[in-house]
Amino acid sequence: MTCPMGRKRAELWAGALLLPIGAVAAAAGLSGLWGTADPGMGAWAAVALGAAALVGGLVLLIDGIRLRVPVLEVEDGEFRYTRGRYIVRIPFADVGSYYVLRGRTRSLGLCDVAGRPRQFPSVQGRRASRPYLPLTGLTSPAKVDAFMSTAGIPPRDRSLTSGR
């Protein structure tokens, strides 16, 4: 999955689903082991599958909790974008406008006061630079618009008549 928020939700839900299934399967296998004098392979298989489901559920939950999704903040006179260890800090006075690139993976572009798009280093640590900050596919453009209007950053005016 390319969307970190979607991956996080999927891993958390799958882990939360696997934990009780694994616990029930392991408990059923253990009760089969203790209930008969000569336990068959079915009881051992249920214990092994239950233990594997428990471990898999725990791994998915831990990985889902550790996944970081992009965070937008405006605080202390600066605009901040955080995605894991990647942090972009821009003085609030240097941000003139914004635009949202819609598509499979939504992105946020910031422009300086003169209206030119800002360049950002790549999120993956490559040498290329990009004129946008990647958001997630599940991020609603309306939420980004609401956040930016609350912060006082206007949308980029792309009209030829300049608002007439």
Side-chain angles (χ1 to χ4, degrees), residues 94-112:
D94 292 347
V95 179
S97 61
Y98 77 95
Y99 58 97
V100 178
L101 297 172
R102 288 163 171 76
R104 187 170 154 208
T105 302
R106 290 180 181 85
S107 300
L108 175 68
L110 296 176
C111 299
D112 60 7

Side-chain angles (χ1 to χ4, degrees), residues 22 25-26 46-56:
V47 171
L49 286 175
L54 277 171
V55 170

